[in-house]
Amino acid sequence: MTSDARPPLDPLFRDGGELSVLMQHLDWDATPLGPPSTWPAALRTCVHLMLASRQPMYLAWTADLIALYNDAYRPILGADKHPAALGARTADIFGQDGYPGLKPVFDAALQGESAAFENLLVPLERYGYLEECYFDVSYTPVYVDQNVQGVFSSVTETTERVIAARRTRTLAALTAALLGATDPQGLVQAALTVAEDNPYDLPCLLLSGLSAHGPAHLAGATGLTDEQAASWHQEVRPWLHAGEECVAPVAPLCAGPWPEAVTQLVVLPLTPSGKPQALGVLALGLNPRKHLDEAYWDFLHLFSGQLTAALHATRLAADLQGQYAELDARTRALEAFEEWTWDLTIDLDPDELIGRAQARIGNLIPLDAAVYYEREGERWFVKRMRGEYGNAELQRAHEGGLPHETTGNLRVPFETGEPYYQDVYDQATDHLAPHMTHVTATAMLPLRTARGVRGIFGLAVFGRAGWSAVDRAVVETVGRSLSLALDRAEQVQDLARERERLARQAEALASANEELEAFTYSVSHDLRTPVRHIRSFSDLLRKSIGTDLNAKASRYLQVVDESATRMNTLIDAMLDLSRTSRQPLRAGVVDLGALVASVRSEVEVDALDRAMTWHVHSLPLVTGDHDLLRQVMLNLLSNALKYTRGREEAIVEVSAEERPDEWVISVRDNGAGFDARYQDKLFGVFQRLHRADEFEGTGVGLANVRRIISRHGGRVSAQGAPGQGATFGFTLPKTR
């Protein structure tokens, strides 16, 4: 056999797996045990049983406690101790971690005493750091020739079980503690108390930023000294405001049960599911004797999750309570507004309205002063006061008038037209310091009417700050309704003045009507007398001359007679026009179709010798004065017959067009027409576009038509062109 040939495998190490190979090639001669072939039978038996077992086992032989162990025990040693521990002294293997605490147990076993422990804490450095470990372990002496030669240990690691049970208890305790808390501070205290009971997994805890405005303050801390907690406010920690979970290194903190300091914090934003904004930030110190593995992460997430859910529920409950309070306040406000609305229906003067508004608001909102100001020139004066000034100098300043330019609380709402709130009153606003030091909050509402800002409705409180949403809603609702009431009061005043003016105008109009009636009587009586004289003396002159009347004189007398006749016609037309204006309307349902048929039969008598074609379309039922509307149609149809006299065939069309709010009635003919440039003159009194020798007439008929239609609420129109006929129309409202 060559010099490098390996010795044959000792049957003792045949079935021990990987560790058997290590034992086979270990230089046992260099250990106190010597070569395996020299080991006593008891040792070999123990090693054989140990290597064949799947239970972690450890054998410490001789008084030096030389270590032997099996494959199942290797994870307990970890990468830091295996395989160097094989054949080494137990004191050398565990001297810096577990052995100092277990030495009395080993010493007792060497003296023949057996021992067994459950969940025994044995700190071990096996993965680069000193780790918190727990074991179920038994220690049994091993005898050789009735002397104890070694200690046999059967070991089961229970670290995960012990830590999991501890964390479960912590989470259960947190659940129970959070259930008893009703506000954010109570939740903070619950979290701190629970953390204090588990300093192993939660050596320190810091809770920050429970306000609605983000992490801005330290809400609570445990596991730290007062000095360490105070430094939390002073040092800038960007990761605290990042909004994401992280593991942050920190200066060593003396926290927890171990001698080792805490050097890492897990930072967890307390963000409810589905919400963008965190309710706060939880910083938890990490156990220096337990690495942050998946189980540790799960525990911390569950802890923060419970706290987040409780904070969110508390926030929701507070919001709900606030909503209930707001709803109650709004209900009371609505009840008050019902009474306030009734007040506004009573004709009150502006001063009384303002006083009632101040009383209403004072019953809904705790106020110390309600003041109504009006501007006179460049100063503001108090017109109505409820409450107190709170300062004699302040009262004197108000009595003397407040300057518009320097009194910001009045100038700002006056110029902007918007409510002006100061939740915390700024003493520099009105340049009235030190007389306003007792005022803590103000609200100023401009009262607007159609004329502009009438005045400023001011409110003030002493000793409390801020105006809630309900307060503002109440103030602005009362302010708007008061503005409307004041505007109505002004309109009533304006209306009264307008009624007085109209009464004076009506009186003047009545006087003018009396004069018009007198003038009409004068026209109907006094003007007819000279016309009769002219015609009578013309007849006498013709009779006195007899047959000696030459042609020229006869023509002169004929012109005189015709002029007198025309004068009578004009007088009659003027009387008709006057009567049309003064005659009261007797409104009723008028069948225009029947009315046109009646007028047509009347005017056709004068055109029996002419070729006439009528197109009368379906005409509606309208509301109006039958006799006056008959006069309108008589004028329009008579004009159509008159101005078609020169046509071989006269064509007259009467039609109606329905519109949403009115009827449009049209009379179209194919007569002489007119120049459209002068159509505005057609409806004027005595206005004519044709010579009297072409077409007879007085120039009053269309003026009468316009006046009648205007009294019915309608309009008249005319369209035409020379030689192409004309269309005269008018509108009648559907309802009156």
Side-chain angles (χ1 to χ4, degrees), residues 370-390:
V371 189
Y372 172 66
Y373 303 87
E374 285 187 2
R375 184 179 176 185
E376 298 177 6
E378 291 303 313
R379 303 187 83 81
W380 290 90
F381 291 92
V382 176
K383 299 298 181 180
R384 187 88 182 199
M385 172 76 180
R386 184 176 188 270
E388 57 181 333
Y389 288 99

Side-chain angles (χ1 to χ4, degrees), residues 48 125 139 240 289 307 328 428 451 506 669 709:
H48 177 72
E125 188 171 338
Y139 297 90
L240 186 60
R289 290 193 175 184
L307 185 56
D328 179 65
R451 301 175 184 175
D669 64 59
I709 295 303

Side-chain angles (χ1 to χ4, degrees), residues 187-203:
L187 296 176
V188 171
Q189 189 56 50
L192 298 180
T193 300
V194 171
E196 289 172 358
D197 291 337
N198 185 0
Y200 299 95
D201 298 305
L202 302 170

Side-chain angles (χ1 to χ4, degrees), residues 313-333:
T314 303
R315 180 74 59 85
L316 291 178
D319 292 344
L320 188 60
Q321 185 176 3
Q323 291 174 7
Y324 283 150
E326 181 175 344
L327 182 60
D328 179 65
R330 288 183 183 275
T331 301
R332 290 187 291 104

Side-chain angles (χ1 to χ4, degrees), residues 199-262:
Y200 299 95
D201 298 305
L202 302 170
C204 62
L205 180 151
L206 300 106
L207 197 52
S208 298
L210 294 180
S211 68
H213 307 291
H217 67 283
L218 180 63
T222 187
L224 301 177
T225 64
D226 293 341
E227 182 180 355
Q228 290 171 334
S231 69
W232 193 259
H233 296 283
Q234 302 167 2
E235 298 179 20
V236 178
R237 300 173 176 84
W239 40 265
L240 186 60
H241 303 273
E244 297 179 356
E245 68 178 36
C246 64
V247 178
V250 292
L253 299 173
C254 296
W258 313 120
E260 296 83 6
V262 173

